[in-house]
Amino acid sequence: MMNSEIYGEYEIFDTHAHIFPEKIAENATVNIGRFYGLHMDGCGMSGRLLESGRKIGTKLYLVCSTATSPKQISAINSFIAKECELHPEFYGFGTTHADSEDLEADINQIVELGLHGVKLHPDFQEFNADSPKAFGIYELMQAAKLPLLIHCGDNRYDYSAPERIAAIHKNFPDLKIIAAHLGGYQRWDDAEKCLAGLENVRFDVSSSLAFLSRERAVELIGRYGLENCFFGVDFPMWTHEDELERFISLGFTHEENQRIFSGNFREFVGM
């Protein structure tokens, strides 16, 4: 368990957290755990997220949810915006879907609601991240200057392979991208080869530190550039206390920790 004197030294942002309406939160959490074959440490309700985050003094949460079908898009975006109104600590990203009948309306809704970016999960949504229909999303996002938080990598699927994320960057170089899970959940070697050094691509450390050795995690962060990495928990997958302990154990300096905890994200979004 982390000593409060340690985390009290830092301004901590969680740049990857999922929330759901209370009536579906438990089922949604169970289904995510079933998808990954993992025990879920929490339940994806706003109150539970805040309860977990307060234990390490979290100041900001990037909250999101993913539309698994186009009919869910508008309701999810409205829900995220409402939760951000209720909780000033929340920094909301909306969602859309490659099969949406009106991508322009989706992006306009996200902007009008005051949301700050778009979250996509190609594996859940079952589309190739670099498919022509997905490119329609990125074109609109790039024009609207909305950053993309995108799930990356999974050995069981190819939808979000790191190579596809690199293709997004190649075709939309001005689009700001956060490549989740250090660029490639379970596919970190591939991610290192094709994503390191790409301008406008950043990385969160969520759902990575539980699987990587300390040495490999430090090596990856070094390859991407410490200044390009963000702290994230992937709640309700993990608790804030556990993820903070894993991160602190990497052994970065106080200044380096602070950059990853909040400084890098502040610079990335112009906060």
Side-chain angles (χ1 to χ4, degrees), residues 60-269:
L60 178 142
Y61 307 80
L62 192 166
V63 293
C64 59
S65 188
T66 302
T68 55
S69 72
K71 65 182 180 181
Q72 299 172 336
I73 295 169
S74 180
I76 288 175
N77 291 336
S78 296
F79 165 72
I80 295 293
K82 182 63 175 178
E83 291 301 300
C84 290
E85 289 179 7
L86 293 171
H87 305 288
E89 309 97 318
F90 286 177
Y91 188 89
F93 271 34
T95 191
T96 184
H97 195 291
D99 291 331
S100 172
E101 294 181 357
D102 195 340
L103 290 172
E104 187 171 0
D106 299 341
I107 299 302
N108 287 340
Q109 182 197 26
I110 288 168
V111 173
E112 289 167 5
L113 288 171
L115 299 174
H116 301 282
V118 177
K119 167 65 188 298
L120 297 176
H121 195 310
D123 297 354
F124 283 173
Q125 298 176 299
E126 297 185 337
F127 68 86
N128 288 330
D130 60 346
S131 64
K133 58 183 180 180
F135 277 11
I137 301 173
Y138 312 136
E139 183 176 6
L140 291 166
M141 288 180 61
Q142 184 172 255
K145 298 183 179 180
L146 290 172
L148 169 67
L149 170 59
I150 187 164
H151 171 90
C152 302
D154 192 317
N155 285 334
R156 302 167 298 171
Y157 309 100
D158 194 50
Y159 295 119
S160 62
E163 294 85 353
R164 298 190 186 279
I165 310 306
I168 299 171
H169 170 73
K170 180 179 179 180
N171 286 276
F172 301 93
D174 293 328
L175 177 65
K176 290 185 174 183
I177 299 172
I178 305 172
H181 320 312
L182 282 175
Y185 175 75
Q186 297 180 332
R187 302 179 74 161
W188 291 287
D189 291 348
D190 294 337
E192 181 181 9
K193 291 174 183 176
C194 64
L195 297 178
L198 297 185
E199 188 175 0
N200 277 336
V201 178
R202 304 294 187 269
F203 306 86
D204 74 46
V205 303
S206 71
S207 288
S208 298
L209 305 182
F211 305 106
L212 293 166
S213 68
R214 175 192 174 278
E215 292 75 19
R216 183 60 175 139
V218 170
E219 182 180 40
L220 273 174
I221 291 170
R223 284 281 290 127
Y224 295 145
L226 184 141
E227 70 280 5
N228 296 320
C229 296
F230 309 148
F231 181 73
V233 171
D234 208 7
F235 183 89
M237 191 79 76
W238 316 99
T239 69
H240 288 76
E241 286 183 298
D242 285 346
E243 284 297 278
L244 179 65
E245 187 167 4
R246 291 182 181 112
F247 179 76
I248 289 292
S249 73
L250 299 181
F252 292 114
T253 67
H254 184 280
E255 182 180 357
E256 290 168 340
N257 285 339
Q258 187 57 78
R259 292 210 64 176
I260 293 176
F261 281 142
S262 67
N264 293 337
F265 187 77
R266 280 185 174 278
E267 292 177 6
F268 181 69
V269 301

Side-chain angles (χ1 to χ4, degrees), residues 1-8 12 41 47-59 61 235 239-242 244:
M1 195 69 64
M2 290 300 303
N3 187 319
S4 61
E5 293 181 359
I6 296 176
Y7 65 69
I12 298 175
D41 283 332
R48 299 281 187 88
L49 170 62
L50 290 167
E51 180 183 355
S52 177
R54 285 188 191 111
K55 293 178 180 178
I56 65 165
T58 306
K59 302 300 184 185
Y61 307 80
F235 183 89
T239 69
H240 288 76
E241 286 183 298
D242 285 346
L244 179 65

